[in-house]
Amino acid sequence: MNSVELTKKLIEIESTDPGVYEFEMEKFIKAFLDNLAPLGVEVFESEVCDGRKNIMGVIRPTFEEGPKVVWLDEYETIYHRNKNNEDDNELILICHMDTVVVGNDWTKEALKATEIDGRIYGRGSTDMKSGLAIALNTFEYVAKVIKKENIDKVFKVIFTVDEEADMKGVEKAIKDGWINSKSYIADLEPTDKMIQVSHKGRFWIKLKVKGKTAHASIPELGIDANACLSEIISFVRKEVSELPDDGELGKSTVTFGLMQGGYEPYVVPDEAFVTMDFRLTPPTYNHDIIRILNMAISNVRKIISDKVVITYEITGDREFVKKDDRSKFLSIMKSVLTELYKKEKNDDYIPVVTSFSGYTDTAVVASKLKNINTLSYGPGSLALAHKPDEYVEIKDIERCEKVYMELLKEVLT
């Protein structure tokens, strides 16, 4: 199958998270890679959690010893390729296998690939089964057409679990040594025709309020946990809106994703909680958010009650990632796009470098390993991800496939 047909096939393999998870996707990808084993492809699996497994395919170059020659009466071994060249970094394409839940308000069948007017609709079409299809097909292209004896770098494809949740998959891939600090690594997330390198930090907090219940007709006998929570939310929102901007990543933001509190309209609520998703940009760090939270708590104790008990826990912590102009891989990708732009005379190939508004597998690699050779480039638009009637344009799949074919030739041969 070409990448368009493969995208359709993958959409119809449900891998919702939470939901059925990636088990059927794992089976399909494992079978796909196993079929390439006679061509020298190695296939690895690694359990991450609850039976969910990362999968990796590897093509290693064949190094052949060349003729021996005499130079100044000393024998030197000439190699076809230099195995010890420090610049000879491995190339990795990484994609996650899970999608978000189907959700409501679809006008198309969410788990059936539907092609209309040059678009393929379906859950995961843009995030990121079209990118996954390209990764599989380009890997097969290297195995069957370029072949391992004609490459001089290790080439890997890694397929992770849990990206749409806690990103345990990529963390396990790092722990397993599948990725290192020198790897050239690209994820095929939807990037709207741009190379996206930098990422806002992701800092998650769950805050709980313990008040005191009472009858709603005599609220002064209780401590309204919902009122306390409202004051905290208002205070935090205002403080975050006044944080300084970063020239590359823009403003820090906060979203109050989940709230709960109370029993009935006539009861003063004694318990409430909220989850907070902070997306941080320099010069704001986690300790700045903790300072704001502590100020908000002190404010509530002054204006509502000093008897209220407020606690919070950090449930997620990801560093922001800034673009590094020393990245050789970024330079190569820009060069590939520039050459395609000259050849195709198509503005879609103009190399524009921006930030990624979400947080990806490569962002985890960049922050944990301090790897500057990471980037995102893939088909589709992030604005369509996670929404009803998600779709990817066929011409976008074809464009990205062409880019990766040229990138592979440039980096591997």
Side-chain angles (χ1 to χ4, degrees):
M1 290 180 282
N2 61 37
S3 291
V4 173
E5 294 305 314
L6 187 52
T7 297
K8 295 177 181 178
K9 175 67 177 177
L10 296 178
I11 289 170
E12 297 184 354
I13 303 174
E14 184 181 354
S15 55
T16 48
D17 178 5
V20 303
Y21 297 106
E22 310 89 350
F23 297 106
E24 293 303 315
M25 282 289 290
E26 292 166 23
K27 291 178 184 177
F28 180 89
I29 293 171
K30 175 73 162 50
F32 187 103
L33 296 175
D34 282 343
N35 285 336
L36 301 176
L39 300 174
V41 168
E42 302 169 46
V43 184
F44 300 87
E45 294 179 285
S46 177
E47 183 172 348
V48 178
C49 57
D50 303 322
R52 298 160 68 187
K53 298 175 182 177
N54 289 340
I55 305 173
M56 177 172 67
V58 182
I59 302 174
R60 304 184 196 277
T62 301
F63 294 105
E64 298 177 359
E65 188 174 303
K68 290 186 175 181
V69 297
V70 177
W71 179 254
L72 297 179
D73 297 326
E74 292 182 1
Y75 284 97
E76 293 182 359
T77 302
I78 299 177
Y79 287 90
H80 239 10
R81 299 169 185 85
N82 182 2
K83 288 186 284 186
N84 300 314
N85 184 353
E86 290 185 358
D87 291 330
D88 229 11
N89 301 331
E90 64 185 9
L91 173 63
I92 300 173
L93 304 184
I94 188 167
C95 303
H96 62 85
M97 295 180 284
D98 56 332
T99 72
V100 296
V101 297
V102 169
N104 301 317
D105 300 324
W106 284 76
T107 64
K108 317 287 189 301
E109 289 190 52
L111 298 175
K112 179 181 179 181
T114 305
E115 182 180 336
I116 302 174
D117 296 331
R119 297 172 175 176
I120 302 173
Y121 290 84
R123 174 55 81 219
S125 54
T126 195
D127 185 17
M128 61 177 301
K129 291 186 175 179
S130 52
L132 200 156
I134 292 169
L136 282 173
N137 265 357
T138 51
F139 187 76
E140 183 180 43
Y141 174 78
V142 172
K144 290 184 175 180
V145 179
I146 297 181
K147 300 181 179 180
K148 61 185 298 180
E149 59 266 25
N150 297 318
I151 66 174
D152 57 11
K153 290 180 178 63
V154 173
F155 179 36
K156 298 176 180 177
V157 283
I158 297 175
F159 304 98
T160 61
V161 301
D162 196 53
E163 194 271 352
E164 296 291 4
D166 297 322
M167 295 182 147
K168 294 175 184 174
V170 66
E171 290 183 337
K172 185 63 160 52
I174 294 170
K175 184 178 180 181
D176 288 340
W178 290 7
I179 304 167
N180 63 63
S181 60
K182 293 184 178 180
S183 303
Y184 287 175
I185 180 165
D187 67 57
L188 285 79
E189 294 275 2
T191 60
D192 295 278
K193 304 180 179 66
M194 295 176 283
I195 308 169
Q196 297 185 329
V197 179
S198 50
H199 303 258
K200 292 183 178 183
R202 193 181 76 176
F203 189 46
W204 286 355
I205 295 286
K206 183 174 183 179
L207 183 141
K208 298 179 181 179
V209 178
K210 176 66 174 175
K212 184 179 178 182
T213 189
H215 196 287
S217 64
I218 43 176
E220 64 272 15
L221 298 182
I223 302 173
D224 190 332
N226 284 348
C228 295
L229 199 61
S230 298
E231 292 291 343
I232 290 170
I233 289 171
S234 178
F235 187 98
V236 169
R237 186 171 179 272
K238 179 178 181 297
E239 290 294 315
V240 170
S241 71
E242 295 174 356
L243 290 170
D245 292 13
D246 175 72
E248 180 185 348
L249 289 169
K251 289 186 66 63
S252 293
T253 61
V254 60
T255 298
F256 305 97
L258 181 62
M259 299 171 57
Q260 186 173 309
Y263 311 101
E264 297 289 348
Y266 46 80
V267 179
V268 174
D270 62 343
E271 291 186 350
F273 77 86
V274 64
T275 63
M276 305 181 187
D277 181 328
F278 297 91
R279 301 296 168 126
L280 304 183
T281 68
T284 301
Y285 291 84
N286 296 358
H287 61 82
D288 297 304
I289 299 304
I290 297 300
R291 176 182 55 81
I292 290 171
L293 284 176
N294 289 332
M295 289 168 57
I297 292 168
S298 296
N299 182 59
V300 163
R301 287 178 174 148
K302 287 178 183 178
I303 65 175
I304 296 182
S305 172
D306 61 0
K307 300 293 193 298
V308 66
V309 177
I310 302 172
T311 59
Y312 57 84
E313 60 178 318
I314 298 169
T315 58
D317 186 0
R318 306 286 185 191
E319 295 180 20
F320 54 70
V321 176
K322 293 278 285 182
K323 177 170 67 73
D324 193 319
D325 290 325
R326 297 172 299 168
S327 170
K328 294 181 181 179
F329 190 36
L330 176 59
S331 178
I332 292 169
M333 177 62 94
K334 289 164 65 177
S335 176
V336 166
L337 286 169
T338 298
E339 291 304 312
L340 280 170
Y341 170 66
K342 292 177 181 177
K343 179 181 177 181
E344 302 289 336
K345 302 293 189 293
N346 184 337
D347 289 352
D348 289 347
Y349 294 103
I350 294 176
V352 178
V353 181
T354 64
S355 62
F356 194 92
S357 58
Y359 211 84
T360 69
D361 280 345
T362 52
V364 176
V365 174
S367 63
K368 285 191 172 292
L369 296 179
K370 307 307 177 188
N371 184 329
I372 65 172
N373 290 300
T374 63
L375 58 86
S376 301
Y377 186 86
S381 171
L382 192 64
L384 299 170
H386 301 189
K387 298 175 68 174
D389 290 346
E390 176 185 353
Y391 69 84
V392 64
E393 295 196 12
I394 289 174
K395 66 179 182 180
D396 214 22
I397 298 174
E398 294 169 341
R399 172 187 59 80
C400 279
E401 184 173 58
K402 186 177 293 186
V403 169
Y404 275 100
M405 290 294 188
E406 293 302 315
L407 180 71
L408 295 177
K409 294 173 188 175
E410 181 69 24
V411 175
L412 295 177
T413 64

